[in-house]
């Protein structure tokens, strides 16, 4: 992959070839994150050399495009922050702190949420989408917690914790299923409702959203030591495990209505999402590290079950021309985008999970 993706900013691989998207796209940090993990695991300088310039290019792109957004954690944690942790590079530290400052600036104290996206859509509700927040942001909170520790400034951690509290209150349902988009009145902070987003609908259970939630809540507990975040992570994890069934890899949404195929009498099956599976596996291993030893085996066992299913049924090992690792990922089913492809974040979390199972002690998220 290092040779094949040398000049690409990979996002999705259709027919085995990764595309190359704009560097300020939210997925741009995952490939260099894989390189940094490989460097930390092997100490091979070739990985460090390939990963070194990514945070430099990211910073340049964000200033030239003026496109800082809610997913800067996905971009700067696997580039600038891990680069600083592993090498001590001061410019990488500065870039990571800049990204954290931009993320903190998206926080709306009325409603206690981090705003998603930048576009203002005045056709949505009584306001534009400046009142929208998404479950994906749970994974970006690690950037704020890191900045708080790095600077000794609790304000970043306060913002992260309040967003996490909002996730517990409004995003995670009592049964452990998860909403994708929650809408708040940006002036009063009142909760208005939910949207399906990349899930089947407002009341469905988008599996990657559940993976973001269980992993992000476990990360939040690791940083804060507060058991309520671990409890939230476990609640989502238990729903995920129960809904997973024997297959070991989830459908893209746990709650969908089966659609009758127009060309046959067979029922059209919902596509899987291997990216949800790999992220959930990594999150389950985080939960295992936080619970007592007599509980940990539950989460480790299911993480291994997921990784086993991915490795045996969805990983491409035989075709040297194939540029990804995991097939069977689903990006945005309602929009018909990136279905049954490789997604770079699916590959990233597969590698991250494997590294954790092999004893990797460093953390990116």
């Amino acid at each position: 992959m290092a040779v094949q993706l040398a000049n690409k900013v990979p996002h999705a691989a259709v027919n085995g070839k990764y595309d190359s998207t704009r560097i300020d796209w939210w997925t741009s940090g995952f490939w260099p994150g894989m390189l940094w993990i490989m460097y930390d695991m092997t100490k091979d300088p070739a990985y460090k050399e390939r990963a070194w310039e990514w945070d430099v290019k990211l910073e340049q792109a964000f200033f030239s495009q003026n496109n800082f957004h809610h997913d800067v954690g996905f971009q700067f944690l696997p580039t600038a922050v891990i680069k600083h942790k592993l090498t001590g590079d001061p410019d990488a530290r500065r870039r990571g702190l800049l990204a954290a400052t931009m993320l903190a600036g998206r926080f709306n104290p009325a409603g206690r949420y981090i705003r998603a996206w930048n576009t203002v859509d005045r056709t949505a509700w009584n306001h534009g989408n400046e009142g929208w927040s998404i479950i994906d942001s749970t994974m970006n909170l690690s950037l704020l917690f890191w900045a708080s520790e790095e600077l000794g400034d609790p304000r970043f951690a306060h913002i992260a914790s309040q967003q996490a509290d909002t996730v517990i209150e409004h995003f995670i349902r009592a049964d452990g299923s998860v909403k994708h988009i929650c809408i708040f009145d940006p002036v009063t902070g009142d909760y208005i409702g939910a949207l399906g987003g990349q899930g089947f609908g407002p009341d469905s259970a988008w599996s990657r959203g559940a993976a973001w939630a269980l992993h992000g809540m476990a990360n939040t507990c690791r940083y804060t030591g507060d058991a309520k975040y671990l409890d939230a992570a476990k609640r989502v994890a238990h729903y995920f495990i129960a809904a997973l069934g024997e297959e070991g890899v989830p459908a893209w949404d746990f709650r969908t209505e089966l659609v009758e195929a127009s060309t046959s009498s067979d029922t059209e099956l919902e596509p899987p999402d291997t990216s949800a599976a790999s992220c959930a596996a990594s999150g389950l291993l985080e939960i295992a590290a936080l619970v007592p030893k007599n509980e940990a085996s539950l989460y480790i066992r299911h993480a291994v079950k997921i990784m086993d299913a991915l490795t045996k049924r969805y990983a491409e090992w035989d075709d040297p021309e194939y540029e990804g690792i995991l097939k069977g990922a689903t990006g945005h089913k309602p929009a018909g985008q990136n279905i049954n492809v490789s997604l770079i974040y699916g590959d990233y979390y597969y590698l991250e999970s494997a590294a954790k199972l092999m004893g990797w002690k460093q953390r990116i998220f």
Side-chain angles (χ1 to χ4, degrees):
M1 289 177 73
V3 173
Q4 292 167 328
L5 305 183
N7 298 311
K8 292 185 177 182
V9 182
H11 174 207
V14 181
N15 299 321
K17 301 296 180 184
Y18 262 114
D19 59 3
S20 186
T21 188
R22 51 190 290 175
I23 196 170
D24 59 351
W25 188 244
W26 74 274
T27 61
S28 59
F30 290 108
W31 168 238
M34 294 172 72
L35 293 170
W36 282 117
I37 292 174
M38 290 300 297
Y39 170 68
D40 197 30
M41 291 287 285
T42 68
K43 307 309 178 188
D44 184 340
Y47 292 115
K48 179 175 71 171
E49 291 167 9
R50 291 182 184 276
W52 189 266
E53 290 296 315
W54 278 83
D55 61 317
V56 179
K57 295 176 182 177
L58 270 171
E59 182 184 42
Q60 292 170 348
F62 273 105
F63 278 117
S64 63
Q65 300 295 327
N66 192 26
N67 192 34
F68 279 96
H69 48 70
H70 61 276
D71 275 335
V72 290
F74 279 134
Q75 296 168 302
F76 285 86
L77 284 166
T79 56
V81 175
I82 190 63
K83 177 180 175 179
H84 172 67
K85 287 180 180 180
L86 296 180
T87 72
D89 183 71
D91 283 331
R93 177 182 183 270
R94 176 185 57 77
R95 294 183 186 104
L97 292 173
L98 173 64
T101 300
M102 294 296 183
L103 184 59
R106 304 186 69 84
F107 182 71
N108 187 337
R112 302 186 311 164
Y113 66 88
I114 292 174
R115 177 193 169 177
W117 299 299
N118 295 327
T119 305
V120 176
D121 179 4
R122 292 297 175 188
T123 65
W125 300 86
N126 295 323
H127 297 278
N129 58 13
E130 64 267 39
W132 295 17
S133 187
I134 58 175
I135 194 63
D136 315 43
S137 290
T138 314
M139 287 297 293
N140 288 275
L141 300 183
S142 295
L143 180 64
L144 298 175
F145 286 121
W146 167 78
S148 194
E149 290 182 351
E150 193 69 19
L151 294 172
D153 188 337
R155 293 176 298 170
F156 293 96
H158 289 327
I159 289 171
S161 295
Q162 288 187 62
Q163 169 71 19
D165 291 345
T166 297
V167 168
I168 292 175
E169 182 178 359
H170 294 293
F171 285 81
I172 301 175
R173 303 185 184 101
D175 66 353
S177 62
V178 175
K179 308 168 190 175
H180 183 195
I181 302 173
C182 284
I183 303 174
F184 303 87
D185 185 308
V187 177
T188 67
D190 293 338
Y191 175 71
I192 296 174
L195 295 175
Q198 289 176 251
F200 182 78
D203 299 319
S204 70
W206 179 46
S207 59
R208 192 163 67 248
W212 295 145
L214 73 88
H215 197 328
M217 283 288 125
N219 297 343
T220 301
C221 177
R222 189 179 76 238
Y223 276 104
T224 66
D226 194 326
K228 68 181 177 183
Y229 302 121
L230 178 59
D231 290 342
K234 290 165 68 176
R235 180 149 46 100
V236 179
H238 296 166
Y239 179 89
F240 194 99
I241 290 169
L244 195 59
E246 293 303 314
E247 177 74 6
V249 174
W252 71 282
D253 195 305
F254 292 122
R255 292 178 183 159
T256 59
E257 299 172 5
L258 291 175
V259 179
E260 292 295 330
S262 59
T263 57
S264 76
S265 59
D266 295 330
T267 301
E268 182 184 357
L269 298 177
E270 297 292 346
D273 184 8
T274 54
S275 73
S278 63
C279 180
S282 184
L284 290 170
L285 294 173
E286 287 302 314
I287 295 173
L290 294 167
V291 299
K293 288 185 178 180
N294 61 346
E295 291 183 42
S297 61
L298 169 70
Y299 304 102
I300 295 172
R301 185 169 68 251
H302 281 90
V304 171
K305 175 183 177 180
I306 292 169
M307 289 292 286
D308 217 28
L310 292 173
T311 302
K312 292 177 178 177
R313 298 207 311 276
Y314 291 98
E316 176 53 67
W317 305 119
D318 299 325
D319 183 357
E321 301 300 316
Y322 196 89
E323 294 184 354
I325 300 176
L326 295 181
K327 298 179 177 179
T330 298
H332 193 339
K333 176 67 162 55
Q337 296 173 354
N338 295 324
I339 300 168
N340 193 26
V341 299
S342 293
L343 292 169
I344 195 62
Y345 44 93
D347 287 355
Y348 169 85
Y349 285 108
Y350 179 82
L351 176 64
E352 182 180 86
S353 299
K356 289 177 181 179
L357 288 168
M358 295 174 69
W360 182 54
K361 299 303 181 185
Q362 187 60 262
R363 290 295 179 264
I364 287 179
F365 288 94

